[in-house]
Amino acid sequence: MRFAVRETILLIRPYLFAAFTVFLAAAVKVFIQPYISTSPPFITFLVAIMFTAWKWGFLPACFATLVAAIVIGYWVIPPLDSFYLRPADVGTLMIFALVGIAMAYFIHRQEQERRQAVTFEGQLRRLHKLSTRLLAEEQFEAVLHRVLAAAVELPKADKGTLQLCEPNANALEMVAQIGFDDEFLHQFQRVPLDFATCGAAYQRQQRVVVADIATDAEFARLRPLYSKHEVVSAQSTPLFGGDGEVLGVLTTYGRDPGVPSDEQLRILDLYADQAARIIEVKRREREWRSNKRDLESQVVRGEQKLRDLAGELELTEDRERRALASELHDYLTQLLTLGHIKLKLAQRFLGPSPGQSERYMEETADALQRSLEYARTLMAELVPPELHESGLIAAIRWLARHMEKDGLTVDLRLNAESVDLPEDQAVLLYKCVRELLINVVKHAGVSHATVALTVDPRQRLLIIVEDRGRGYDPASERKAPVAGHFGLASIRERLAAMAGWLREESAIGNGTTITLGLPIAQAGFERLLHAASSGGPTDRVQSKRAESADQERLPFDTH
């Protein structure tokens, strides 16, 4: 009851004030009339009507015009204190009423436009303030929630959702919401691109406004669903990216029927456009941060790989030094020691027995000759002269012949006549092939292997080393490297440093196939001849071994 009385008072208050303003105007006219000789007719009443229109609106101003006409007819137009009016007086009152109503209308319209301008200015300020806050916001989710909160507040809505498009899932995913419960979130976290008003706005790429779900021909079928969540009206506005693609949809919901005003929708468009720009910026920032983290992680992993590779290279070099030292000690050192002993004996018997001394000298020369041959063979095994003088293919041919001393027959399938490679790449590939063939000798348990070399149409040099031996399990070996096979990791890392790769195919009992790949820079490579002839190889590395000008040759050096 108290609420009804209060509503009634609020309703009639403008009209009471309108009547009071008219009577005040009449009192002012009566009070000032004796002091002036003449006055514009009805001026105080027109002022009262203007004030009422400005303060209370058009209808109270019309009521004030009616009251003013009654007062003028009774107290102002002779005969006074009477409603007797001549036709001319009636015409005067009608003109007064028309002027008053016209003034009330124009003043009311002007005041409405002024208030709208003030509201628009305030909303623009809020938009600028919101944009500043959004740009300063660090968390992407907080940005989305701020955008949605501003959009919901603008048309005085009750609830709202912000959904972004997931093209891979062909759906709209909710990233922010206001006013809904957990059940709604669970049910509509991700919806199809053609679902409800949001899907319609996305498909049509234009705003969809529904004043009343129950009476709308298109969405009335969803009334039970909307009613369950106290939704009666809705509007969905698509968010366009800089490239014209729809990023998502911003939707506001109301408990009562109705649509936002045109002014509110214009401001909402500004909000939506600003939100789309901010979302794009924040997405790029998030991608940039993610890429930065990935890059930092890759750098850390790369540094760790480099440390591991450096350690492995050091171990490999130490192993090779030990093997070389062992070779030198077991054979070359003994030959030189034997030559030294024979030379001492030759000196001892030089006077007493020249024949015996000559025999010792011959044996010394033989020991030195064998030492020289061994040293040359050892150097050729490490880096054969053919590699520098004739190129990688010639070096692989030499290596295939040399592996016969270890009981391994190598079948060569060299489908390229020549390859031009930098020296570091040629040396690396030669050492990789040598390492793989040594692994065949040590672990495959076979006496035959195949080495194939070709250049594919993508200008990639491929070297395939294959055997039909014992094989192994690559996955198990990566977890726990088998002794002797650890060289594959070193080969893989060294090739990766030159943009190359290693691919291993093996199974226990089914042999092993290792493919080495390396892109080559030579453009227009078309020389893919099968079974290159064994005589006169023409490939060269791009840098040759240099000899110092003051380097002395041994008298027995035939190279």
Side-chain angles (χ1 to χ4, degrees):
M1 182 65 179
R2 184 179 300 176
F3 179 77
V5 173
R6 183 180 179 184
E7 288 291 324
T8 303
I9 294 175
L10 293 176
L11 181 63
I12 67 174
R13 184 175 62 175
Y15 299 94
L16 294 177
F17 275 98
F20 174 77
T21 304
V22 172
F23 285 112
L24 182 62
V28 170
K29 180 175 178 59
V30 172
F31 177 75
I32 67 172
Q33 187 66 43
Y35 301 100
I36 57 177
S37 60
T38 182
S39 64
F42 319 137
I43 184 66
T44 56
F45 296 101
L46 292 176
V47 172
I49 294 171
M50 292 171 60
F51 177 79
T52 303
W54 173 76
K55 183 66 177 178
W56 301 106
F58 178 68
L59 291 179
C62 292
F63 179 72
T65 302
L66 176 62
V67 174
I70 294 173
V71 171
I72 290 171
Y74 188 76
W75 280 334
V76 177
I77 298 177
L80 303 179
D81 301 328
S82 172
F83 285 109
Y84 175 76
L85 299 173
R86 292 170 296 179
D89 297 332
V90 174
T92 300
L93 289 178
M94 291 180 64
I95 293 175
F96 168 79
L98 290 175
V99 171
I101 292 174
M103 289 176 56
Y105 174 77
F106 288 116
I107 291 174
H108 173 68
R109 287 292 301 172
Q110 183 178 11
E111 182 62 18
Q112 272 189 332
E113 292 178 358
R114 185 190 69 81
R115 291 177 180 175
Q116 289 178 353
V118 171
T119 302
F120 185 71
E121 181 184 6
Q123 290 169 341
L124 288 179
R125 289 178 179 175
R126 290 183 57 195
L127 177 61
H128 176 71
K129 190 175 182 180
L130 173 66
S131 302
T132 304
R133 290 181 178 177
L134 292 180
L135 288 172
E137 186 66 61
E138 292 291 336
Q139 298 296 326
F140 186 59
E141 292 74 13
V143 169
L144 300 178
H145 194 272
R146 282 185 181 273
V147 169
L148 181 60
V152 168
E153 185 179 352
L154 176 65
K156 301 297 186 292
D158 303 295
K159 306 171 190 248
T161 60
L162 181 58
Q163 299 159 294
L164 297 183
C165 177
E166 293 292 338
N168 295 332
N170 198 33
L172 292 171
E173 183 173 2
M174 188 182 307
V175 292
Q177 66 84 26
I178 292 177
F180 289 103
D181 54 21
D182 294 338
E183 180 184 356
F184 177 87
L185 299 179
H186 177 73
Q187 189 173 2
F188 301 106
Q189 181 64 38
R190 179 175 290 182
V191 298
L193 293 178
D194 58 353
F195 177 77
T197 59
C198 55
Y202 178 86
Q203 297 285 353
R204 301 171 190 174
Q205 297 190 7
Q206 63 183 11
R207 187 183 359 256
V208 173
V209 180
V210 180
D212 191 341
I213 300 293
T215 59
D216 188 87
E218 182 178 1
F219 300 104
R221 57 186 175 82
L222 298 176
R223 179 184 179 184
L225 176 62
Y226 281 109
S227 299
K228 182 179 179 181
H229 299 285
E230 300 180 350
V231 170
V232 175
S233 59
Q235 74 77 31
S236 295
T237 301
L239 307 178
F240 292 95
D243 56 358
E245 294 294 327
V246 179
L247 299 177
V249 179
L250 190 155
T251 305
T252 58
Y253 304 93
R255 292 190 179 96
D256 301 316
V259 297
S261 66
D262 293 340
E263 191 68 27
Q264 288 174 335
L265 292 178
R266 283 196 293 269
I267 296 294
L268 187 61
D269 284 336
L270 294 177
Y271 274 32
D273 184 67
Q274 189 69 10
R277 301 287 83 75
I278 298 297
I279 287 173
E280 285 188 315
V281 170
K282 292 300 181 180
R283 271 185 169 178
R284 286 195 291 268
E285 287 181 359
R286 187 168 62 175
E287 292 174 357
W288 178 82
R289 290 192 182 99
S290 177
N291 293 336
K292 181 182 177 183
R293 288 193 298 268
D294 293 343
L295 182 59
E296 290 174 349
S297 177
Q298 290 176 7
V299 169
V300 171
R301 290 196 299 268
E303 291 177 349
Q304 183 62 42
K305 283 186 177 181
L306 287 176
R307 287 193 293 269
D308 295 342
L309 179 58
E312 185 176 346
L313 288 175
E314 185 176 351
L315 291 175
T316 302
E317 290 174 357
D318 181 69
R319 182 191 64 173
E320 292 179 351
R321 285 194 297 268
R322 290 176 181 272
L324 181 59
S326 177
E327 288 279 347
L328 294 175
H329 177 271
D330 292 344
Y331 193 80
L332 184 59
T333 303
Q334 293 182 12
L335 285 175
L336 293 176
T337 301
L338 177 61
H340 182 265
I341 293 173
K342 296 292 185 180
L343 186 59
K344 288 293 185 181
L345 291 174
Q347 290 177 344
R348 179 182 302 177
F349 289 98
L350 184 59
S353 179
Q356 187 73 6
S357 176
E358 183 179 357
R359 185 172 63 85
Y360 284 134
M361 290 288 288
E362 292 176 355
E363 292 177 356
T364 301
D366 180 66
L368 292 175
Q369 181 63 32
R370 284 190 291 165
S371 299
L372 180 59
E373 292 176 355
Y374 175 78
R376 287 174 174 170
T377 302
L378 184 60
M379 288 187 294
E381 287 182 359
L382 296 176
V383 181
E386 286 81 359
L387 182 60
H388 297 282
E389 296 172 359
S390 303
L392 177 62
I393 292 180
I396 291 177
R397 288 196 183 97
W398 181 91
L399 179 62
R401 294 193 301 269
H402 186 72
M403 292 304 298
E404 293 179 357
K405 72 179 184 61
D406 295 316
L408 181 66
T409 301
V410 180
D411 180 19
L412 296 179
R413 300 174 184 174
L414 307 179
N415 293 346
E417 181 179 333
S418 64
V419 284
D420 290 342
L421 294 173
E423 183 177 15
D424 57 341
Q425 293 185 357
V427 172
L428 172 62
L429 290 174
Y430 170 79
K431 289 185 176 181
C432 290
V433 174
R434 178 174 175 269
E435 180 77 17
L436 294 175
L437 292 177
I438 291 175
N439 280 345
V440 173
V441 172
K442 291 181 178 180
H443 308 289
V446 294
S447 60
H448 188 276
T450 301
V451 175
L453 184 148
T454 186
V455 178
D456 68 7
R458 297 172 60 184
Q459 302 302 301
R460 301 182 304 176
L461 176 63
L462 303 178
I463 300 178
I464 302 173
V465 179
E466 183 180 7
D467 68 77
R468 298 301 179 186
R470 297 190 182 95
Y472 62 94
D473 183 3
S476 300
E477 185 175 323
R478 291 192 189 101
K479 297 179 181 178
V482 178
H485 283 285
F486 65 88
L488 292 180
S490 175
I491 294 173
R492 182 179 286 106
E493 295 295 339
R494 294 184 187 185
L495 286 172
M498 294 184 177
W501 66 92
L502 179 147
R503 183 172 63 249
E504 52 184 318
E505 301 175 13
S506 184
I508 297 176
N510 291 326
T512 301
T513 300
I514 304 295
T515 302
L516 310 178
L518 187 69
I520 57 177
Q522 181 183 2
F525 189 90
E526 298 178 352
R527 293 172 292 174
L528 302 176
L529 302 180
H530 179 71
S533 59
S534 58
T538 60
D539 57 318
R540 297 287 189 273
V541 296
Q542 293 176 358
S543 60
K544 296 184 178 181
R545 180 178 56 179
E547 293 185 357
S548 176
D550 58 352
Q551 180 178 347
E552 294 184 3
R553 292 180 177 269
L554 294 176
F556 41 77
D557 191 354
T558 59
H559 289 269

